Amino acid sequence: RLAAPKEFLKMAGIHVTGNFHESPECVVSLTRNGETASFAAVPYLNEGDILSHVSLEGEVERHQRYREAVKKIYRECMSAMPDEGIRILMGHFFIQGIEGSGSERIITVGDTQPIRTGDLPEGADYIALGHLHRPQQIKGNGCQIVYPGSPIPINFKEAEYEKNVFMIDTDGTGTCSVDAIPVPVFRELVRVEGTLDEVLTAASFGNWKDKYVEVRVRLEKPEVGTGDRIRHAFDSRGGRVLVVESVLSGREDGESISASDIKSRSPAEMFKDFYNKKYGDTPGDELDELLKTFNELIELSNGQESEP
């Protein structure tokens, strides 16, 4: 997707590396006021793009080959840069020892951290990495390694820490200062948790103007209209509820349904059993109404499958 408008963007001075082909293609050198800065704009390195297939290869061996391939790519990028000037490496991967925010997609190889700080070449003035949403800095081989993080929260898990952009000051001699500049918060993300009464009380007495809210409400049993009541309570105080998650107190996940159950029991029977395990005893008329709706959906689905 990023590579499609690559040539068009280049006319505006925007350089994009969407896919990896050859290491030198990732290197971009810019000269301003007599100073040259070279960037190794290496995109996410998919295992299938940089490793050949080896039959019956174990995860440890494949992981080691991946690390060696990454080291080779960055060495080639460094070799393709001018001898003079600032050298900045960029990448999209996890480094061992970093901390995620819980909202990133997992891109590790073999369930291990794919890259170590020692895998990155010496001689760079600054290393900027992507994928992690939580800002953090790591000690590298003589230079700063920084995950600047996402400039805005991607979800409510990221509302608990400050977002930054980083200003880098380096002269290409190995000296590099990194200053974090906080990103202004224009819409605060807030998480609220409690019983229904506690949540409604918080909504009634809090200042929710121009805030986005995620609510986790604890219930003794399912209650129709809970989400609407919560949204209305916060709306009346200027807030906007984006997520309502209901959690039933004291309920554990039921056992998995076996293959024999699927063959011997009807969908309605499994639905009823699942519902009772998850939500406990439900008045007969309520469950009957749910089963009626469930059966109508099953019939509708079967009818659509039988259509040519």
Side-chain angles (χ1 to χ4, degrees):
R1 295 189 298 268
L2 290 174
K6 177 179 179 179
E7 296 302 321
F8 176 76
L9 292 173
K10 188 182 293 185
M11 293 187 293
I14 301 172
H15 299 268
V16 174
T17 305
N19 301 302
F20 178 80
H21 298 289
E22 298 290 338
S23 301
E25 295 180 4
C26 299
V27 176
V28 177
S29 295
L30 304 175
T31 301
R32 298 288 187 274
N33 300 322
E35 296 282 347
T36 298
S38 297
F39 302 83
V42 180
Y44 168 57
L45 297 172
N46 192 313
E47 179 185 348
D49 293 337
I50 63 174
L51 294 183
S52 58
H53 175 70
V54 176
S55 299
L56 304 178
E57 182 181 35
E59 286 190 359
V60 174
E61 291 78 11
R62 186 173 69 254
H63 173 52
Q64 183 60 34
R65 282 206 303 132
Y66 181 86
R67 286 181 54 205
E68 292 299 326
V70 171
K71 287 193 281 186
K72 179 175 181 290
I73 288 169
Y74 278 100
R75 285 198 304 267
E76 292 173 347
C77 286
M78 290 288 287
S79 298
M81 293 179 177
D83 294 332
E84 302 295 330
I86 298 167
R87 296 180 169 192
I88 296 177
L89 304 183
M90 304 169 69
H92 191 124
F93 46 75
F94 283 111
I95 279 188
Q96 191 170 15
I98 48 76
E99 182 180 1
S101 66
S103 57
E104 301 91 352
R105 292 184 300 110
I106 301 301
I107 58 171
T108 54
V109 177
D111 295 327
T112 58
Q113 299 290 352
I115 301 299
R116 302 173 186 173
T117 56
D119 294 337
L120 298 172
E122 297 182 358
D125 295 290
Y126 178 72
I127 299 177
L129 300 180
H131 190 70
L132 290 181
H133 300 169
R134 181 190 295 271
Q136 52 202 291
Q137 300 184 40
I138 309 166
K139 292 182 179 180
N141 291 332
C143 75
Q144 296 270 18
I145 300 177
V146 177
Y147 281 96
S150 57
I152 60 173
I154 304 302
N155 61 29
F156 283 88
K157 293 179 181 179
E158 301 181 21
E160 301 170 358
Y161 52 87
E162 189 175 63
K163 294 293 187 177
N164 299 303
V165 295
F166 289 82
M167 184 169 66
I168 313 304
D169 188 0
T170 181
D171 57 8
T173 63
T175 302
C176 179
S177 64
V178 180
D179 295 319
I181 303 173
V183 176
V185 177
F186 299 101
R187 280 270 191 171
E188 186 178 355
L189 302 185
V190 183
R191 307 177 84 177
V192 178
E193 182 174 352
T195 64
L196 180 57
D197 288 341
E198 290 170 343
V199 169
L200 294 177
T201 299
S204 299
F205 293 97
N207 177 18
W208 304 105
K209 182 175 174 56
D210 296 330
K211 295 179 181 179
Y212 289 139
V213 185
E214 178 188 65
V215 176
R216 193 169 190 263
V217 57
R218 297 191 299 272
L219 302 173
E220 293 298 326
K221 63 179 182 179
E223 296 184 26
V224 177
T226 298
D228 291 337
R229 291 179 63 189
I230 291 173
R231 289 186 176 89
H232 176 73
F234 281 94
D235 286 347
S236 65
R237 300 287 294 178
R240 183 180 178 188
V241 176
L242 300 184
V243 179
V244 176
E245 179 186 0
S246 298
V247 180
L248 293 179
S249 302
R251 298 296 177 191
E252 301 293 337
D253 292 337
E255 297 179 358
S256 299
I257 299 175
S258 66
S260 59
D261 285 337
I262 295 175
K263 293 180 180 179
S264 62
R265 303 174 66 191
S266 69
E269 289 175 330
M270 288 189 289
F271 173 79
K272 182 178 179 180
D273 185 51
F274 165 80
Y275 191 88
N276 284 332
K277 285 181 179 179
K278 187 171 181 64
Y279 300 119
D281 295 332
T282 303
D285 54 346
E286 291 186 20
L287 185 55
D288 289 343
E289 189 66 26
L290 284 171
L291 285 171
K292 179 181 177 182
T293 303
F294 179 80
N295 286 325
E296 289 175 354
L297 291 172
I298 292 292
E299 291 176 4
L300 180 62
S301 175
N302 291 337
Q304 291 177 341
E305 290 179 357
S306 62
E307 292 179 359

